[in-house]
Amino acid sequence: MGATDLNARVRKHRDALRAAGLRPVQIWVPDTRHPGFAEECRRQSRLVAQADKADATLQQFMDDALADVDGWTP
């Protein structure tokens, strides 16, 4: 299979997605292989945990929100 065959298949697939009302989007995400990535995750997790502890009403809000999902469908 040549590159032109592959390009045609990709183009056809993308055209079908566009016809279905979708459009392509490019996003950039952190590189999990980057040195320091895991430590940065830990740092941010600690900050979030500290913020959660500092907000006494947060847990009640989360519990109320969880209780309010009855009847939702995926």
Side-chain angles (χ1 to χ4, degrees):
M1 176 185 305
T4 55
D5 293 336
L6 180 60
N7 290 343
R9 282 192 7 225
V10 169
R11 185 174 19 266
K12 181 179 176 184
H13 177 69
R14 289 180 179 175
D15 289 345
L17 291 171
R18 283 186 181 97
L22 302 173
R23 67 184 183 119
V25 177
Q26 180 178 359
I27 62 170
W28 289 82
V29 296
D31 185 350
T32 58
R33 300 164 299 180
H34 189 271
F37 176 83
E39 182 52 41
E40 179 62 17
C41 289
R42 284 188 286 276
R43 184 188 74 78
Q44 290 183 22
S45 295
R46 285 191 295 270
L47 289 173
V48 170
Q50 289 171 358
D52 286 353
K53 273 188 195 177
D55 188 352
T57 61
L58 179 63
Q59 189 60 49
Q60 185 60 47
F61 172 78
M62 296 297 283
D63 290 342
D64 292 345
L66 183 60
D68 192 33
V69 298
D70 290 336
W72 284 21
T73 57

